[in-house]
Amino acid sequence: MTQTNNNMTVNPDLAMERAKCNFNVLEVTHIFDGGERNTLQRKKIEDVALNSGASKDALGEEHMSPKEKYENAVRKSCIYATMMKNELAELSGLESFGVSSPVIRRTADAFFKEVSPFLLHLGMFVPTIMGQCTPEQQSYWLPRALDMQIIGTYAQTELGHGTFIRGLETTATYDPETEEFVLHSPTLSSYKWWAGGLGKTVNYCIVVAQLYTKGECHGTHPFIVQIRDEDTHVPLPGIKVGEIGPKMGFNTADNGFLGFDHYRIPREHMLMKNAQVLKDGTYVKVARHGKLTYGTMVFVRVVLVNEVAFNLAKASTIAVRYSAIRRQSKPKPDEVEPQILDYVTQQHKLFIAIATAHALQLCSTWLWESFSAVLAQMKGGNTDTLPEFHALSSCLKAISTSDSAHLIEQCRHACGGHGYMISSGIPNLYNFVSATRTYEGDYTVLLLQTARFLVKAYEQAEAKKPLTPTVSYLAHAFSGSRATWDNSPDGIIRSFQALAAGKTAVCVTNMRKRMRAGLSQVDAWEMSTIQLVAAAEAHCRAVIADTYRKEIVRLTANSSPNVKVVMDQLTTLYLYYWALERTGDLLMFTSVSQKDLVDLQIAYEELLLKIRPNAVGLVDAFDLRDELLHSTLGSYDGRVYERLMEEALKSPMNKEPVSDAYSKYLRPMMKGKL
Ligand SMILES: CCCCCCCCCC/C=C\CCC/C=C/C(=O)SCCNC(=O)CCNC(=O)[C@H](O)C(C)(C)COP(=O)(O)OP(=O)(O)OC[C@H]1O[C@@H](n2cnc3c(N)ncnc32)[C@H](O)[C@@H]1OP(=O)(O)O
Ligand SMILES: Cc1cc2nc3c(=O)[nH]c(=O)nc-3n(C[C@H](O)[C@H](O)[C@H](O)COP(=O)(O)OP(=O)(O)OC[C@H]3O[C@@H](n4cnc5c(N)ncnc54)[C@H](O)[C@@H]3O)c2cc1C
């Protein structure tokens, strides 16, 4: 066993990997964090939050009953929330703790193997107050919410409808006599369903309901609604609320249901930034864009890109470290069993996961900056950039969550049987991230939103009208010839854009053909949706590839030579990987030849070998403390087998030498006495 500086016993294979890494790991950490200052600040926050050991459980969460798990999650949420109000607020550089600090959010992961019951309070309740309230409403609700005097959630989805918001059934009918809204759930399918924290934790929630006033329906609007007594926590009369039961993951989030029986709330509890109901019941539309009430969803879609990049970084750290210590098979009889990381197929599974974590992290920062710019313009009353941003955030949410879930599962495959252990950390990561593909807008549904925008942009390009930045490449779609293949990074990105343009063109052509053949526009669209989803996916891949490449070139401009090389290798790997995944499309829409693709495959395999010596260094650069990884396979010291055994011995099943099941069932059955 090798000793490191701080006297930690480290697995010798991992120590060897670290010794052979040829770039400065800290420099890459700074790139991933967005600069040295951010790294220092993150480390300070992590030290304060994690060094006290408050995040640890006496008994592993996985051995608790559902009720114990929930209560334990509430206990730790309260500890963390108190830390946020006190020590962490100042450190995180926020005036008040809250919604925009990914570091705070990430550090919280050390406290929860699944999720906090407060996730929706911070992730959607507070952002909705910030985004949908008038200044007066905000000054009343925000301090109470930030100080955790009230805890809330976001109840939009119903049993009958999640995707189709306009189809929600809960009603909010204005009564001018009492100046109140009457909330009502007219059917079983109108019951709110899914909101995180609703089951047992929160006492308030944002409710999205169909607004009726003066006998007219004005569509869905948000309301802030008290559902439990602020002192006793008992549900208020007219409220039927509970928890929805066990799920694939999110089992500490007490997702809930909620029904209203003619439940009254004051007029002022409608969130009135975008639309108002006056005392006499007159409806006044304030916003210049009809979809601003969907703003919190857009915010969360942006946040999720960062969220899944972080979780993918965790899974790749676990799988790469484990692959460095795990030895298996004997391809060369005279040599020792190789580390499984030496198998090229293993590198193929894992290095794309590292590169994707980088790509998504950098895209998320870029997306956040674009979002801030859109918000700033909207403050000045200009909503022109919103359609493009909605299209962009929709596809990035869809692709980042779907790719991350797939790659986390691939990391599990890369860990063989031990990856299936809860204690490996990977099942919890997968269960969390696979849900992100569905919530906040399902994958297909969001890609179809992007496709709407692409088709419109294509028609604009056809009419030689100006295009917005993310679709400007569509202007080249009408050259009449196939895009010229060239295997440089810029050449591959141009080919990805040609794919997206080509697929969009096919969709438009097919829809026009179908309409000429007599189909309605809606039916022609529906018949083309498989290809529209593929076009939106191709567009998103072109955006990610272009952004990742540009950002890495910019961020490594002053880096040391070896960091430049390894970062360039990773971006190139990302481009080669996706080109090789899409060979059929490239043959359709570019001049690529069979020989070009055979050469590209060889270049890809050679690139894997070049990255191999730096693999552990690359995941170390994510700088994920053991407390965040929750993994027997991925800890920094690589004591995998020791940790697996330690965890196994903690199982309550091992507390008694003979299980009660023996005398109750096994023995009678074996003795023929059952
Ligand atoms: C310590 C600090 C930590 C804090 C931060 C922690 C964050 C951690 C992350 C996790 C956070 C929370 C966990 C979340 C748990 C899950 C919550 C939820 O799931 S909430 C419910 C979410 N629900 C959805 O997302 C529903 C999806 N459906 C839709 O969005 C819509 O119904 C849609 C878009 C499918 C259709 O809408 P609609 O029918 O109204 O529109 P049309 O299709 O007819 O389109 C008309 C027109 O409008 C455009 N449009 C649609 N949406 C938008 C938008 N949002 N913005 C702008 N424009 C929009 C659309 O494109 C059409 O345009 P057109 O020009 O006509 O083509
Ligand atoms: C863990 C978790 C937490 C959640 N938390 C919350 C919360 O806090 N608050 C809240 O309000 N909601 C929450 N939700 C609900 C979530 O937002 C919805 O489940 C999600 O938006 C998908 O909607 P749906 O369930 O109605 O799916 P559906 O729309 O019924 O989708 C089912 C299938 O139909 C397809 N489909 C639907 N419409 C179309 C279409 N137009 N074209 C093509 N295909 C279509 C979808 O692609 C999908 O394959 C949560 C969900 C989960 C899983």
Side-chain angles (χ1 to χ4, degrees), residues 271-285:
L271 305 190
M272 297 219 200
K273 181 175 174 185
N274 296 316
Q276 297 176 355
V277 170
L278 306 183
K279 283 183 181 170
D280 69 352
T282 307
Y283 179 78
V284 184
K285 191 129 198 79

Side-chain angles (χ1 to χ4, degrees), residues 200-261:
K200 290 284 156 197
T201 309
V202 306
N203 51 9
Y204 278 78
C205 56
I206 305 295
V207 171
V208 178
Q210 300 285 358
L211 164 62
Y212 284 84
T213 178
K214 296 191 170 179
E216 202 183 328
C217 179
H218 294 276
T220 57
H221 288 72
F223 300 82
I224 190 163
V225 182
Q226 182 177 358
I227 59 164
R228 291 187 167 98
D229 184 275
E230 281 193 29
D231 191 33
T232 63
H233 211 58
V234 171
L236 296 173
I239 297 287
K240 195 167 178 191
V241 62
E243 201 255 339
I244 63 174
K247 296 141 291 179
M248 186 171 150
F250 272 74
N251 283 305
T252 45
D254 69 305
N255 298 82
F257 64 80
L258 173 65
F260 299 103
D261 181 9

Side-chain angles (χ1 to χ4, degrees), residues 63 92 105 135 169 179 203 288 348 363 545 584 588 604 643 648:
H63 299 303
S92 65
R105 163 76 197 95
E169 297 175 79
E179 295 179 13
N203 51 9
R288 289 177 53 177
H348 176 53
C363 281
M588 266 180 83
Y604 173 74
R643 283 180 203 275

Side-chain angles (χ1 to χ4, degrees), residues 120 124 153-164 192-198 206 208 244 247 249-250 253 255-256 297 301 397 431-432 434-446 448 525-526 529 533:
L120 263 288
M124 293 193 84
T153 185
Y154 186 85
Q156 178 175 288
T157 304
E158 297 174 355
L159 256 179
H161 289 96
T163 291
F164 184 49
K192 294 293 172 191
W193 195 269
W194 269 122
L198 177 63
I206 305 295
V208 178
I244 63 174
K247 296 141 291 179
F250 272 74
N255 298 82
M297 288 181 281
R301 287 170 195 155
K397 185 276 184 186
N431 289 341
F432 176 73
S434 67
T436 63
R437 183 181 150 131
T438 300
Y439 68 62
E440 223 59 76
D442 160 78
Y443 175 87
T444 309
V445 168
L446 289 188
L448 287 173
W525 170 272
E526 178 55 37
T529 45
V533 166

Side-chain angles (χ1 to χ4, degrees), residues 8 36 87 174 179 202 453 618 636 660:
M8 182 194 271
E36 184 176 356
E87 302 97 306
Y174 185 64
E179 295 179 13
V202 306
F453 183 78
L618 279 168
Y636 186 83
D660 288 349

Side-chain angles (χ1 to χ4, degrees), residues 55 57-66 68-70 72-73 76 110-115 251-252 422 428 630:
S55 65
D57 291 320
L59 177 66
E61 226 177 68
E62 50 280 7
H63 299 303
M64 297 177 185
S65 69
E68 285 169 339
K69 256 192 202 177
Y70 165 70
N72 189 47
K76 288 193 288 186
F111 283 67
F112 310 99
K113 286 190 183 158
E114 295 201 35
V115 292
N251 283 305
T252 45
I422 294 287
N428 277 335
H630 299 290

